[in-house]
Amino acid sequence: MTGILFFVLSAQAPLTGVAGTLPVPLGLGNGGGAPAVYLVVGVMIGLFSVGFIAMSRHVTDAGAFYAYVSRGLGQPLGVGASQVAVLCYSATQAGMYGLYGVVVQGLFQKYASLDLPWWLWTVATVLLVQMLGSLNIEFGAKLLGALVVAETSLLLVFAVYQLLSGGGPQGLDLAGSFTPTAFFAGAPGVALTFAIACILGFESTAIYAKEAKDPGRTVPRATYLSVAVISLFFAFVSWMFVSYYGSDKVQGVALNALRKGDATAVVFDAVSHTLGGWATDVMQVLLATSLLAGVLAFHNGINRYFHSLGATGILPGWLSRTNRQGAPYTASLVQTLVTIAIVIPFAMAGADPVITLLTWGGGVGVLSLMLLYLLTSASVIVFFRRTGLDRRPWNTLIAPLASIALLLSATGLALHNFTTLISASGATALALELAVVAVFAGGVALGYARRGAGPARSGNPVPGDSVTGVSASA
């Protein structure tokens, strides 16, 4: 179980979740109430996991949402889910590229006196990732593990120091972060969006079922423990940053940093003041490597979808072609072109990549993910009602229904605050929301058109949808 848990946690990119995205819920969301959101999301995802794990005992196709939805609700809806998953990962990856460009731009400005636009670093890295993908070169798991341990350790040292020293100007203000009033202050939907994004990938524990000695016990424990550890980690660390600035001042600090285009200053300034300037220097480099590992993982995950859907005949067959290195080069090229097509308009418009590309990509990614979770929970209920393979009420009915209720509530909050999240007009927000619906509807239509295709006909594996499984080897 320890090995499975490590692979899942290693893909969460904790420094990206804290230094890169925490300033957004602090500044645009509910401010000091952000830490409580991670706990609520942990409960919501924990309930979702109950049904997910129950179904994983009977659906062994690498834990893909495509397989779960297909088995429960039919192949057309499963194909729709696969397209939404591709959108989810593509949008999230694009958002990460925006943040990555800013971070690398700052590093070269500081250490090499080289001032180039953020998008140039981003496009260069997109091409580098394409080359690595085409050559089938991946980061080693040991290197990734060392980087994750280093970034997690720095964050925990800061957080523990703050805890033991009693926090900042208002002390350890529990009420300022963990009460209903704090949770619903401002725009909690923004905080929910980024909290959900931080737990993306937990479901990949099911991928390792065949490698575990006792998957019936190991996989459920690893899944529940990973959700608990991730949500508690982000709640604790974010609470310490809120305590450092004060629950009534942190929103102003974060909003000011976002407006200046220097979102990471919220975290780096606090860590530098607490641990010394060396810690910030190290964290800046670790944040860049963390983001690079993340975009590589998403690149490989999206390739896996395109390649498998091409192999099963759902998408054009040329997407399944591989080169001499065994890499899906056509799928890789397509998704590289898609990524550049997403990034370039933001560069041409002179848009701030954090306030626009990161938040827009993260928003679309999480809305897509919520739809996948809802479809999967519904699939669990239908699958077990139809097959009778598992008659435990809690696992196959009550918990999935509870997760659906919480997911719908969270989605409602996210939609209500979506304009605030993307800092754009209502028309832009509606267009991004409808994009998720359109991709799903198009996928369902494609599923009906390709009803004869798929894993049952071709014998090919269904698309995997876990970036964690990829980044564990990345």
Side-chain angles (χ1 to χ4, degrees), residues 35 84 171 280 441:
V84 172
T280 297

Side-chain angles (χ1 to χ4, degrees), residues 433-448:
E433 293 161 1
L434 290 177
V436 178
V437 178
V439 167
F440 176 64
V444 173
L446 178 64
Y448 277 108

Side-chain angles (χ1 to χ4, degrees), residues 100-115 121 268 280-289:
Y100 172 86
V102 171
V103 172
V104 175
Q105 178 189 40
L107 284 173
F108 276 89
Q109 285 176 341
K110 182 175 182 179
Y111 298 108
S113 299
L114 183 60
D115 190 9
W121 296 111
F268 288 162
T280 297
D281 293 339
V282 172
M283 288 180 75
Q284 286 177 320
V285 175
L286 287 174
L287 178 56
T289 58

